[in-house]
C-alpha cells in the first residue's frame, strides 16, 4: 500500500486525537487555525522491515523533538509521550504495513481565527503509509542533481529553527518549486549570512580528504536525527566528523557530498549548480556510510539495535482469543 487512494481507503487507518479512525474520516474544518497561520508542528519517522517485523527508527528521539517543537509554540499536547509513541506503533500495525513513513502532526485547531492561539484545541494526529525513495527512484543509487534555492533559509532570529514547524516549510516549498522547474531533484539553501545551510527537507554533508563536514546549528539547519545517526556511524567507522561553517566553495571543492533525512535517508549528491561533485558518481565514503545506515535501520547492525523500536503485533482481545 502506498499513499492510500481508491480501494485502499476502505481499509486504511489514522490515529486522531486518541483514537484509531478510518483514513477518510481524518478531516479538519477549513477555518482551522493551523491552515491559516501554519501553526502546527510535525515529525517524519520511518519504520523498516526487520527480522522481528516492522521497527521504528529512533522513535524516542523523534518524540523528543515533537514535544520540543510543540513547547516552542506553546502547545500542551493532550497526550503523554507514551501515548504518542504508542500511536506511531498503532498506525503501522493497524495498516498492516511492513515498512512505513509515519507522520505525527500537532496543531492549533478550530475555534476562532486571529493570530493569537489562546484557548484553541490542540489536535494531534498520526498517519502512516509506504513512502519509497524521497528524491526519485534512482536517487539512492545514482545521486541527485541540486541547484541553489533563490530563497535563503529563515534566520534563527526570525523563527526557532530547531522546532519542526509547518509554517517553516513555505521556504522549502519556494525553493523546491524554483529548482524542480529547472529539472533539478532538490534545492540547497544558504543561510541569512550566505553560508551553506540545508536542503528543503534534508541536511547536507560534504567529504574532503576523508574528513566529513556538515553545517553547524548556527547555519539555520534543522538538527536532523538522520544527521546525528550518520555522524555516529561515520565516527564509528573511524572518520573525523566536523560541524562547521561551510561556504559554497567548500561544496564545489568537495570530493563527495550527500543529503541526509528520514525521507531522503542517505542520498548522494552528484552535481550542484551545474558543477560535478568529485567524479560525479557517488563516492566510496558516501557509499560506506549509506550501506551501514541502510543496514542499521533494518536491524542488520547489532551495534545500533538500540535505535530501533519494534512494532509488536497487536495482542488479541479476550473476545478475539475466545
Ligand atoms: N532539514 C529539514 C528542513 C527537514 O525537513 C528534514 C526532515 C531534515 C533536515 C532532516 O531531519 P531528520 O529527518 O530528523 O533527519 N524532513 C522530513 C520531511 C520531508 C517532507 O517532505 O515532508 C523527513 O525527512 O521526514
Amino acid at each position: 500500500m502506498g499513499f492510500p487512494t481508491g480501494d485502499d481507503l476502505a481499509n486504511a487507518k489514522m490515529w486522531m486525537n486518541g483514537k484509531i479512525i478510518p483514513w477518510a474520516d481524518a478531516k479538519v474544518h477549513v477555518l482551522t487555525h493551523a491552515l491559516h497561520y501554519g501553526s502546527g508542528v510535525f515529525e517524519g519517522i520511518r519504520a523498516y522491515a526487520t527480522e522481528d517485523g516492522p521497527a521504528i527508527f529512533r522513535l524516542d528521539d523523534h518524540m523528543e523533538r515533537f514535544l520540543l517543537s510543540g513547547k516552542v509554540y506553546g502547545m500542551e499536547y493532550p497526550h503523554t509521550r507514551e501515548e504518542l509513541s504508542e500511536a506511531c506503533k498503532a498506525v503501522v500495525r493497524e495498516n498492516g504495513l511492513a515498512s512505513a513513513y509515519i507522520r505525527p502532526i500537532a496543531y492549533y485547531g478550530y475555534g476562532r481565527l486571529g493570530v493569537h492561539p489562546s484557548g484553541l484545541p490542540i489536535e494531534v494526529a498520526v498517519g502512516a503509509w509506504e513512502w519509497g525513495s524521497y528524491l526519485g527512484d534512482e536517487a539512492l543509487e545514482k545521486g541527485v542533481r541540486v541547484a541553489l534555492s533563490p530563497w535563503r533559509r529563515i534566520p534563527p532570529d526570525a523563527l526557532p529553527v530547531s522546532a519542526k514547524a509547518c509554517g517553516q516549510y513555505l521556504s522549502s516549498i519556494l525553493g523546491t518549486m524554483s529548482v524542480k522547474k529547472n529539472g533539478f531533484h532538490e534545492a540547497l539553501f544558504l543561510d541569512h549570512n550566505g553560508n551553506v545551510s540545508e536542503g528543503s527537507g534534508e541536511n547536507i554533508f560534504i567529504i574532503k580528504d576523508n574528513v566529513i563536514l556538515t553545517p553547524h546549528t548556527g547555519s539555520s539547519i534543522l538538527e536532523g536525527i538522520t544527521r546525528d545517526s550518520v555522524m555516529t556511524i561515520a565516527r564509528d567507522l573511524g572518520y573525523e566528523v566536523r560541524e562547521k561553517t561551510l561556504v559554497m566553495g567548500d561544496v564545489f571543492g568537495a570530493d563527495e557530498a550527500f543529503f541526509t533525512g528520514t525521507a531522503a535517508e542517505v542520498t548522494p549528491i552528484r552535481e550542484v549548480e551545474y558543477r560535478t561533485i568529485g567524479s560525479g558518481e557517488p563516492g566510496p565514503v558516501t557509499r560506506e556510510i549509506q550501506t551501514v545506515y541502510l543496514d542499521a535501520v533494518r536491524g542488520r547492525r547489532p551495534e545500533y539495535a538500540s535505535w530501533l523500536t519494534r512494532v509488536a503485533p497487536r495482542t488479541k482481545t479476550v473476545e478475539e482469543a475466545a
Side-chain angles (χ1 to χ4, degrees):
M1 186 179 83
F3 200 87
T5 51
D7 290 348
D8 297 337
L9 273 174
N11 299 319
K13 304 274 193 310
M14 288 275 300
W15 182 98
M16 200 170 179
N17 298 323
K19 287 197 282 278
I20 292 285
I21 60 168
W23 182 275
D25 293 349
K27 291 181 178 161
V28 296
H29 194 278
V30 171
L31 296 184
T32 292
H33 195 270
L35 187 58
H36 293 253
Y37 308 119
S39 52
V41 300
F42 69 98
E43 273 305 315
I45 312 175
R46 275 193 192 266
Y48 289 88
T50 74
E51 271 188 358
D52 289 332
I56 303 178
F57 186 65
R58 300 197 65 171
L59 177 60
D60 287 347
D61 300 295
H62 282 284
M63 287 298 107
E64 179 78 27
R65 191 170 66 188
F66 192 48
L67 294 172
L68 278 176
S69 298
K71 190 174 174 192
V72 164
Y73 290 98
M75 294 180 191
E76 297 225 357
Y77 298 162
H79 307 282
T80 63
R81 189 185 172 122
E82 290 68 35
E83 284 165 354
L84 295 170
S85 298
E86 188 42 51
C88 292
K89 294 185 210 168
V91 285
V92 175
R93 195 187 293 136
E94 298 290 331
N95 286 303
L97 295 165
S99 62
Y101 183 82
I102 306 168
R103 170 55 59 89
I105 182 165
Y107 55 93
Y108 283 106
Y110 172 80
R112 55 169 186 79
L113 286 181
V115 170
H116 196 273
S118 75
L120 289 177
I122 306 297
E123 314 264 5
V124 188
V126 189
W129 62 91
E130 271 171 23
W131 202 357
S133 178
Y134 182 61
L135 295 174
D137 286 346
E138 296 189 328
L140 288 182
E141 196 44 47
K142 297 198 170 154
V144 289
R145 297 179 61 233
V146 174
L148 273 184
S149 163
W151 300 92
R152 296 234 175 142
R153 218 62 187 140
I154 301 161
D157 55 353
L159 280 180
V161 287
S162 52
K164 196 168 165 69
C166 299
Q168 230 149 293
Y169 282 80
L170 288 172
S171 157
S172 292
I173 290 170
L174 287 175
T176 45
M177 279 179 21
S178 289
V179 308
K180 289 209 177 179
K181 207 168 161 188
N182 294 327
F184 293 95
H185 296 100
E186 184 54 301
L188 176 62
F189 288 76
L190 301 181
D191 70 9
H192 58 298
N193 292 317
N195 299 316
V196 175
S197 179
E198 60 178 352
S200 74
E202 310 87 3
N203 293 113
I204 186 169
F205 285 78
I206 62 170
I207 298 152
K208 183 70 182 172
D209 298 331
N210 277 330
V211 177
I212 297 174
L213 305 160
T214 192
H216 56 64
T217 55
S219 292
S220 287
I221 62 162
L222 179 76
E223 268 190 88
I225 291 167
T226 320
R227 174 181 179 273
D228 180 74
S229 309
V230 157
M231 290 198 291
T232 301
I233 288 169
R235 288 189 175 118
D236 289 352
L237 288 169
Y239 292 102
E240 184 185 341
V241 180
R242 276 191 236 151
E243 295 171 74
K244 68 185 286 276
T245 304
L246 294 178
V247 295
M248 279 308 286
D250 297 323
V251 175
F252 291 145
D255 301 326
E256 302 179 31
F258 60 87
F259 277 134
T260 64
T262 299
E265 301 172 307
V266 177
T267 299
I269 297 174
R270 63 170 197 260
E271 184 192 307
V272 178
E273 283 287 315
Y274 301 103
R275 285 159 189 83
T276 305
I277 301 299
S279 66
E281 299 289 321
V285 182
T286 303
R287 278 273 178 256
E288 193 182 3
I289 291 170
Q290 186 192 45
T291 303
V292 177
Y293 179 80
L294 294 176
D295 276 352
V297 296
R298 290 179 174 80
R300 295 185 196 135
R301 298 275 170 163
E303 64 272 40
Y304 304 119
S306 65
W307 282 344
L308 296 173
T309 302
R310 192 170 166 245
V311 179
R314 190 163 69 92
T315 43
K316 287 185 177 163
T317 59
V318 177
E319 295 83 58
E320 282 170 339

